[in-house]
Amino acid sequence: MDLSDERITMTARLEADSIWLEYGQHRILQNIYVRVDVGQVIGLLGRNGYGKSSLLEIIYGTRSAQNHSVRINGHYVDKLYQRPNTIAFLPQKSFIPGTLLISEVFGLYGSSVTTATELFPELTDMLPHRFDQLSGGQQRLIETVLVLTSPTDFVLLDEPFSNVMPLHVETLKVLISTVKHQKGILLTDHYYRDVLDISDTVYVLTSGGRTIQLTEPEQQLQHYGYIR
Ligand SMILES: Nc1ncnc2c1ncn2[C@@H]1O[C@H](COP(=O)(O)OP(=O)(O)OP(=O)(O)O)[C@@H](O)[C@H]1O
């Protein structure tokens, strides 16, 4: 898998700072700071509705907030998704038009079909099919591989393991751990053991909308009401 190019030396650090999000009287995120360096997987955990997807969308630039500062190597960027070759986003909901052929999809996103079929040989048989002809788990797998192998320095993954069978989750974890040498990855998923397995640093979102770094995951996740 060759994902190397000159981008790495140009953009190495993504910071999201002073993120403040409210809907009416409902405060969701409060003064969040998250840093992702190329070479790292940063895990983000939190109860349903605590603002994980919102945070990823604010970083990507598609959700507005009361306050936010997103920076690449210290330089403020208004809408990160508009900056070429910088960031790829796997949203929680499917994003690929159903009528596209799988073979077309990889070309459109500049992603590596070779890497995908090496890791998941059964994808080869799916290439001539339309995206909406695949199962939910197959669709999620393709979207995740697509995002991870697209030519960007940073990746945001919102529930990549959702609907994917355990065998493929293990392979996706290998892919994430491989591409992280050339990318910075911010990952959220409720399969928290898988997130803990592959993350260099893990944060939990609290009810006050702040991030706490986990040092003793099992105890802290119990304390914050994420696991029993
Ligand atoms: N457009 C909106 N208007 C009002 N409230 C919203 C809007 N979008 C999201 N919310 C609320 O913001 C909160 C955070 O939602 P978000 O989807 O970011 O949470 P999450 O942590 O990703 O949840 P989950 O783990 O269930 O995916 C939720 O309470 C949700 O109801």
Side-chain angles (χ1 to χ4, degrees):
M1 175 187 337
D2 181 13
L3 297 170
S4 63
D5 60 34
E6 296 300 314
R7 292 173 292 112
I8 305 309
T9 54
M10 295 171 67
T11 58
R13 184 177 78 247
L14 164 63
E15 290 168 290
D17 196 2
S18 310
I19 308 282
W20 194 289
L21 177 68
E22 292 171 2
Y23 292 111
Q25 300 296 310
H26 191 188
R27 182 179 299 159
I28 309 293
L29 301 171
Q30 184 178 181
N31 228 6
I32 298 279
Y33 177 80
V34 176
R35 172 176 170 160
V36 187
D37 289 359
V38 167
Q40 288 182 330
V41 177
I42 305 297
L44 179 67
L45 301 174
R47 290 166 60 103
N48 290 129
Y50 270 26
K52 302 175 298 297
S53 298
S54 301
L55 177 58
L56 266 50
E57 289 165 11
I58 292 165
I59 293 172
Y60 191 58
T62 48
R63 184 180 289 262
S64 56
Q66 277 70 19
N67 196 47
H68 76 284
S69 175
V70 175
R71 299 188 296 273
I72 296 290
N73 285 349
H75 300 290
Y76 175 81
V77 182
D78 184 27
K79 294 191 186 303
L80 204 47
Y81 71 87
Q82 291 180 337
R83 199 173 187 271
N85 297 331
T86 303
I87 197 153
F89 181 32
L90 177 77
Q92 192 171 4
K93 292 183 183 152
S94 182
F95 67 95
I96 295 174
T99 53
L100 286 181
L101 301 181
I102 308 306
S103 53
E104 294 174 315
V105 163
F106 280 90
L108 276 176
Y109 287 87
S111 300
S112 169
V113 73
T114 310
T115 301
T117 51
E118 276 173 11
L119 286 167
F120 303 98
E122 63 261 55
L123 291 187
T124 308
D125 293 335
M126 299 176 198
L127 292 174
H129 293 280
R130 283 167 37 151
F131 188 71
D132 62 8
Q133 291 173 323
L134 305 185
S135 74
Q138 289 169 333
Q139 290 183 355
R140 196 60 177 164
L141 180 65
I142 286 189
E143 288 182 326
T144 303
V145 174
L146 198 68
V147 165
L148 280 168
T149 60
S150 66
T152 64
D153 294 338
F154 296 97
V155 173
L156 307 173
L157 298 175
D158 194 347
E159 302 195 9
F161 306 139
S162 165
N163 293 328
V164 175
M165 67 179 180
L167 190 70
H168 286 344
V169 168
E170 290 306 319
T171 311
L172 281 178
K173 286 161 64 182
V174 171
L175 177 59
I176 291 169
S177 300
T178 305
V179 301
K180 86 164 189 183
H181 296 297
Q182 290 145 330
K183 293 174 186 284
I185 298 169
L186 179 57
L187 160 70
T188 184
D189 203 291
H190 291 300
Y191 290 88
Y192 72 97
R193 291 189 190 281
D194 294 310
V195 174
L196 293 174
D197 270 355
I198 56 171
S199 295
D200 298 284
T201 302
V202 185
Y203 295 95
V204 62
L205 270 175
T206 70
S207 62
R210 297 177 189 274
T211 41
I212 304 285
Q213 186 174 339
L214 295 184
T215 50
E216 297 182 65
E218 295 287 333
Q219 291 92 322
Q220 285 171 287
L221 290 175
Q222 278 180 30
H223 176 77
Y224 289 107
Y226 187 66
I227 58 174
R228 200 181 293 273

